[in-house]
């Protein structure tokens, strides 16, 4: 490795082993991953062995105080982010933090304070913003919105002024998951926080990223924040995002499907591997390469049908008695997010998802929980949305 940055990994569980570690060592600007840190010595040892870390420890301070370390990557359980980030920032380390950045506003406040007073870059891994299929979906939506073209069908379009509803965009996010994938730690209110704080933050962030400087003004949620819920997020322009997550689905079909309906069009992203564009003439379906593909000779057509064929091959000889890390991975944007963070350090620019975005996703997650408990829509307080902008 010929890069110039020295990294330390704090939290060496499943995600660090499967995703962060490989992405760190393949980034050309990372000279080495010097530290493997986990409160479980066994996990630290396994990470060090796999990624060639020289040192292992059970104490994060060993990593954050090491003068040789430039970058700290955090993939612990969520509730311990604050002391790690405060220590890392105090020692001037740049921070790549797994989602959710914070479990509540107070934690977010401490994290923002720490990062800004330490003058360090912080990036939250809401990496769906960086997935090639999602970037393409946004690009095509913006293109259509700016210059709508309609597919002719049986009605003759009569020129008339559009109603206000017809000028808006609806963003639908459908997530179907199999609950056997959740460990109790994910569902515990004090560690994982349940799936709104642990998972919906991804899609709340995504909706804010899609609609950019459009401000969310109201949130309404139903169901259980632990694992089965719906969230409706209304924006100032009238645009809206609707998120539905069920734990009662199956791994036999991919987890996520996003749809954007706008001015006579429906643009759909199927699990980061295929985008379909309906209603706009002259635009073809797009397929996207996988990040890891151990079955290049199966499902060569790619896209959703290709992925499903590969998936069938992958699960053929599996049993439930032993956990096997998946070697089949759609491009969710993991690599691009880490690369974007490191580029932001090099160029001294904003990270692809900074501490303000991290705070806002947490704020919306907390408000969604409150809304589901009160069973009513809640306004997003204007002061809270902007509170940290100038902090
Ligand atoms: N961006 C994504 O899409 C994505 C996907 C999966 C997981 N994650 C995030 O990554 C994080 C880890 O998830 P995981 O599935 O690997 O969980 P995990 O439980 O397998 O790993 C967490 C590890 O952190 C260690 N740990 C806890 N407290 C620590 C401390 N104070 N110091 C050092 N180590 C400590 C634990 O011992 C454990 O090994 C979570 O925050 C999760 O939300 C993000």
């Amino acid at each position: 490795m010929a890069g110039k940055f020295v990294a330390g990994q704090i939290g060496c569980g499943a995600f660090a082993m499967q995703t962060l570690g490989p992405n760190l060592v393949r980034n050309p600007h990372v000279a080495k991953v010097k530290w493997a840190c986990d409160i479980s010595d066994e996990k630290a040892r396994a990470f060090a062995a796999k990624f060639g870390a020289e040192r292992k420890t059970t104490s994060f301070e060993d990593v954050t105080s090491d003068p040789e370390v430039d970058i700290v990557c955090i993939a612990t359980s969520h509730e311990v982010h604050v002391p790690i980030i405060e220590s890392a920032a105090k020692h001037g380390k740049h921070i790549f933090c797994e989602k959710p950045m914070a479990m509540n506003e107070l934690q977010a406040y401490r994290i923002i304070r720490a990062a800004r007073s330490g003058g360090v870059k912080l990036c939250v891994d809401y990496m769906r913003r960086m997935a090639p299929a999602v970037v393409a979906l946004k690009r095509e939506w913006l293109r259509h919105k700016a210059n709508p073209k309609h597919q002719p069908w049986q009605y003759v379009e009569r020129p008339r002024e559009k109603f206000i509803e017809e000028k808006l965009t609806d963003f639908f996010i459908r997530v179907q998951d199999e609950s056997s994938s959740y460990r109790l730690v994910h569902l515990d209110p004090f560690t994982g926080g349940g799936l709104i704080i642990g998972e919906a933050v991804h899609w709340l962030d995504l909706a804010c990223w899609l609609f950019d400087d459009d401000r969310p003004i109201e949130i309404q949620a139903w169901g259980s924040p632990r694992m089965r819920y719906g969230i409706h997020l209304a924006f100032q322009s009238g645009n809206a995002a609707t998120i539905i997550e069920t734990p009662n689905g199956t791994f036999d079909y991919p987890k996520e499907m996003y749809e954007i309906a706008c001015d006579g069009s429906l643009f759909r992203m199927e699990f980061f591997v295929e985008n379909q564009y309906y209603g706009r003439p002259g635009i073809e379906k797009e397929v996207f390469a996988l990040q890891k593909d151990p079955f290049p000779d199966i499902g060569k057509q790619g896209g959703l049908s290709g992925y499903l064929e590969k998936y069938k091959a992958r699960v053929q000889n599996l049993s439930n008695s032993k956990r096997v890390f998946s070697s089949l991975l759609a491009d969710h944007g993991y690599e691009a997010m880490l690369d974007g963070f490191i580029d932001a350090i090099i160029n001294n620019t904003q990270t692809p998802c900074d501490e303000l975005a991290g705070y806002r996703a947490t704020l919306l997650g907390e408000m969604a929980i409150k809304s589901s408990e009160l069973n009513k829509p809640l306004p997003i307080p204007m002061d809270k949305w902007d509170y940290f902008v100038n902090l």
Side-chain angles (χ1 to χ4, degrees), residues 10-17 20 37-40 43 57-60 74-81 84 98-100 125-128 183 185-186 198-199 202 323 334:
I10 301 177
C12 299
F15 190 64
M17 287 293 275
L20 281 174
C37 166
D38 199 293
I39 47 173
S40 151
K43 290 195 176 167
T57 178
T58 53
S59 165
F60 70 78
I74 304 171
T76 59
S77 42
H78 326 320
E79 83 288 0
V80 293
H81 286 174
I84 300 174
E98 267 317 317
K99 60 81 202 168
D125 197 9
Y126 289 127
M127 75 297 156
R128 281 161 172 79
R183 283 172 287 148
V185 69
H186 298 133
E199 288 273 294
H202 265 305
R323 180 166 191 179
Y334 294 119

Side-chain angles (χ1 to χ4, degrees), residues 4-5 26-30 71 96 121 123 130 335-352:
K4 62 174 184 168
F5 293 122
R26 57 149 283 287
N27 184 288
H29 305 292
V30 174
I71 292 171
F96 189 79
K121 304 275 181 202
C123 185
M130 304 292 275
E335 278 184 17
M337 192 54 134
L338 188 71
D339 292 353
F341 163 63
I342 291 174
D343 290 347
I345 300 171
I346 294 169
N347 302 318
N348 193 20
T349 51
Q350 193 181 6
T351 65

